[in-house]
Amino acid sequence: MADLSKYRPSSSYNSPYWTTNSGAPVWNNNNSLTVGQRGPILLEDYQLVEKLANFDRERIPERVVHARGASAKGFFEVTHDISHLTSADFLRAPGEQTPVIVRFSTVIHERGSPETLRDPRGFAVKFYTREGNFDLVGNNFPVFFVRDGMKFPDMVHALKPNPKSHIQEDWRILDFFSHHPESLHMFTFLFDDVGVPQDYRHMEGFGVNTYTLINKEGKAHYVKFHWKPTVEVKNLLEDEAIKVGGANHSHATQDLFDSIGAGTFPEWKLFIQIIDPDHEDKFDFDPLDVTKTWPEDILPLQPVGRLVLNKNIDNFFAENEQLAFCPAIVVPGIYYSDDKLLQTRIFSYADSQRHRLGPNYLQLPVNAPKSAHHNNHHEGFMNFMHRDEEINYFPSRYDPVRHAEPVPLPPTYFNAKRDRTIIEKENNFQQPGERYRSFAPERQERFIKRWVAALSDPRVTDEIRSIWITNWSQADKSLGQELASRLNIKV
């Protein structure tokens, strides 16, 4: 007799005939059950009710941010030994490979929006390691708009469409960020040419937040992660974006899918920068401030490994829409830092997924670890974990399960009063100015034109224009003067 317990929900076990969700055979999937040929439909037509009820619920809530995305699978391979920096098992030696799934996305716009809109791109990697999953959730820019997660909901509301008209409008964006000059550095990326990547294969990725690497001896280092494509970084200028987007609003998704299908596997090199926490006060900025980059001439990029995407996903809903990331999901040897934005993301991401997908979203195959796991998180909505044990508490003398070996944590001591404070070393203008001055003249001109267009929005007040010109003048005097001249404004 066949072992029926192996038939978990999977298309691998499809029956040769149509069935209901409970497995009952369906002999007619075209006609409702009615009273006679012309009579009313019967409520007892369970097959019809089930079919309609499932259809009504086919669409889960789309992500508030990063709704538009594309995924692919592959592997990460260590190429350089960093075992002196971290005890993470998947980084223990060159040659070690770990399966991954990666999701690229746009941030602000809806799931069906064009992939050519000026917007940050998400770059999220889920490592299926032997010690559980590690989610490295980042963007294609190394910095962010705000440094404290308290501002995040308001920031997203400002970037999203007007709640009255459902139109994204510059005046709302410029109004909000005029209160937060820390955003200037992020805008030197968003309004730069890299604001519209050519596709996902030709863009960089960054972990953005500061994490902590801990080695076997318990020594900790702050770390930032950088993904560099093995191909050239390419972007779309305005005319190109209009042409590409007008022809195919899913061009980046199609490019990713077609490239992998043709055997042209996208590849990135992983680099890290590290800072000894004992030295964090040596800089003129706070290393845990996400609006700052770490100078590469002082803190050089160190190679770690390579990421190769060599397999397309099997199903878009199961492996893209239900794919869920959270910066809190780390492995031994990698930990958080006191980065204020990271600290809020640790809670917010998982909470968002519990809302979208349910409290057991980590049981979904795409999110579940590939390693053995054991806990007493029972029941709840959509729990499909097979359990036959009698002990669902800990500890128990009837269950030999024990604690794992201790994992080193950052050796930080805290002694301070409760307070709501800003980061002391704000230094909002130096790095944006340096980045602008690094642009070639024609690139500076494109940057200026984008800002003139945004500040020319008729609902942007003279006060807001003056604030922005003042801020850009503090970053670079010539930039502020040029904006003021073209907008005919005296500051």
Side-chain angles (χ1 to χ4, degrees):
M1 182 176 179
D3 180 6
L4 299 181
S5 66
K6 74 177 184 179
Y7 291 102
R8 299 182 63 185
S10 168
S11 58
S12 301
Y13 304 127
N14 278 347
S15 76
Y17 50 80
W18 218 245
T19 74
T20 64
N21 285 347
S22 61
V26 170
W27 61 271
N28 185 334
N29 196 38
N30 297 313
N31 305 106
S32 304
L33 186 65
T34 59
V35 179
Q37 186 176 7
R38 302 284 306 281
I41 292 172
L42 295 174
L43 183 61
E44 70 184 54
D45 189 351
Y46 174 80
Q47 176 191 335
L48 170 69
V49 172
E50 179 185 87
K51 187 174 184 179
L52 292 177
N54 273 267
F55 174 75
D56 291 346
R57 293 161 176 80
E58 275 185 3
R59 298 295 180 265
I60 60 176
E62 75 173 32
R63 292 166 169 88
V64 176
V65 288
H66 298 277
R68 172 62 136 133
S71 304
K73 294 182 281 192
F75 65 89
F76 174 77
E77 180 181 19
V78 178
T79 56
H80 292 74
D81 186 7
I82 61 167
S83 59
H84 61 292
L85 295 173
T86 176
S87 60
D89 175 74
F90 80 102
L91 297 173
R92 69 182 183 275
E96 289 296 321
Q97 288 192 358
T98 301
V100 301
I101 186 167
V102 178
R103 187 175 188 269
F104 305 102
S105 57
T106 57
V107 175
I108 293 302
H109 304 283
E110 295 96 333
R111 199 177 80 176
S113 57
E115 292 179 308
T116 48
L117 298 177
R118 185 168 298 277
D119 196 19
R121 266 51 173 183
F123 194 124
V125 184
K126 187 182 293 291
F127 299 79
Y128 298 107
T129 88
R130 285 181 288 262
E131 295 180 305
N133 292 350
F134 169 44
D135 287 357
L136 182 53
V137 189
N139 290 331
N140 67 321
F141 303 151
V143 294
F144 199 62
F145 292 104
V146 293
R147 56 171 67 101
D148 193 316
M150 179 69 86
K151 305 173 185 178
F152 189 85
D154 294 295
M155 180 203 78
V156 172
H157 288 170
L159 289 165
K160 285 282 190 181
N162 185 323
K164 183 175 182 178
S165 64
H166 200 67
I167 299 170
Q168 187 185 40
E169 295 168 324
D170 285 338
W171 67 270
R172 289 165 37 83
I173 298 170
L174 297 177
D175 174 31
F176 174 78
F177 287 110
S178 70
H179 298 273
H180 303 293
E182 69 207 63
S183 66
L184 259 65
H185 201 185
M186 181 68 164
F187 278 110
T188 65
F189 289 89
L190 183 61
F191 274 47
D192 181 25
D193 295 347
V194 295
V196 185
Q198 175 177 294
D199 49 56
Y200 296 131
R201 289 186 298 126
H202 291 85
M203 74 178 192
E204 295 178 299
F206 302 89
V208 182
N209 293 112
T210 300
Y211 286 83
T212 305
L213 295 182
I214 309 170
N215 65 18
K216 293 178 181 178
E217 290 72 41
K219 174 59 181 174
H221 287 87
Y222 292 142
V223 62
K224 279 188 178 287
F225 296 97
H226 301 251
W227 297 107
K228 303 290 184 184
T230 55
V231 295
E232 181 184 356
V233 173
K234 294 183 179 180
N235 310 296
L236 297 175
L237 300 183
E238 279 76 357
D239 291 345
E240 297 171 309
I242 292 171
K243 183 177 180 180
V244 171
N248 181 2
H249 82 301
S250 299
H251 82 284
T253 296
Q254 183 162 6
D255 175 82
L256 180 67
F257 189 89
D258 290 350
S259 298
I260 294 173
T264 306
F265 301 140
E267 182 173 341
W268 289 261
K269 303 293 186 184
L270 177 63
F271 296 85
I272 59 172
Q273 288 176 289
I274 60 169
I275 291 178
D276 189 321
D278 294 338
H279 302 160
E280 64 177 307
D281 292 331
K282 294 184 176 181
F283 302 91
D284 58 6
F285 62 92
D286 189 327
L288 305 186
D289 180 352
V290 293
T291 69
K292 303 294 185 290
T293 54
W294 294 358
E296 294 180 15
D297 56 338
I298 301 173
L299 305 165
L301 298 178
Q302 302 181 35
V304 178
R306 67 188 187 115
L307 170 69
V308 179
L309 300 180
N310 59 5
K311 188 178 188 304
N312 279 310
I313 57 176
D314 300 313
N315 180 272
F316 184 84
F317 180 78
E319 295 179 300
N320 185 79
E321 289 306 292
Q322 291 193 137
L323 175 58
F325 294 88
C326 177
I329 297 179
V330 295
V331 292
I334 301 176
Y335 201 68
Y336 323 119
S337 75
D338 296 333
D339 173 340
K340 285 191 173 186
L341 190 70
L342 176 60
Q343 290 285 317
T344 54
R345 294 174 82 204
I346 288 169
F347 164 76
S348 181
Y349 273 61
D351 189 55
S352 175
Q353 302 302 351
R354 293 185 191 104
H355 164 68
R356 290 185 62 244
L357 303 172
N360 291 301
Y361 76 96
L362 289 176
Q363 290 184 17
L364 293 167
V366 72
N367 300 320
K370 307 305 181 190
S371 57
H373 56 290
H374 186 173
N375 58 51
N376 292 328
H377 299 166
H378 273 244
E379 303 170 0
F381 288 107
M382 302 301 291
N383 190 317
F384 57 89
M385 174 71 72
H386 174 73
R387 291 186 182 272
D388 58 8
E389 66 267 39
E390 295 181 281
I391 306 302
N392 61 351
Y393 50 86
F394 179 88
S396 169
R397 290 184 173 84
Y398 295 94
D399 185 348
V401 66
R402 56 178 174 80
H403 286 119
E405 295 300 317
V407 174
L409 296 177
T412 310
Y413 292 89
F414 299 96
N415 182 19
K417 71 182 183 74
R418 294 182 180 91
D419 206 351
R420 297 183 186 274
T421 62
I422 60 173
I423 289 178
E424 185 178 0
K425 296 179 182 178
E426 288 196 86
N427 201 351
N428 292 323
F429 306 107
Q430 179 180 337
Q431 290 193 1
E434 290 172 348
R435 178 169 167 79
Y436 171 77
R437 289 187 290 275
S438 74
F439 296 163
E442 62 273 14
R443 192 170 174 179
Q444 290 182 345
E445 175 63 19
R446 291 191 293 269
F447 183 81
I448 291 170
K449 284 183 175 179
R450 291 171 190 135
W451 271 101
V452 169
L455 290 167
S456 297
D457 185 311
R459 292 192 65 178
V460 174
T461 65
D462 288 341
E463 178 190 14
I464 292 174
R465 288 192 188 97
S466 295
I467 290 171
W468 277 103
I469 292 172
T470 298
N471 286 344
W472 283 121
S473 296
Q474 291 184 77
D476 183 90
K477 187 176 181 180
S478 65
L479 172 58
Q481 290 173 337
E482 192 65 34
L483 290 172
S485 173
R486 298 194 192 193
L487 291 164
N488 196 26
I489 289 179
K490 292 183 178 180
V491 182

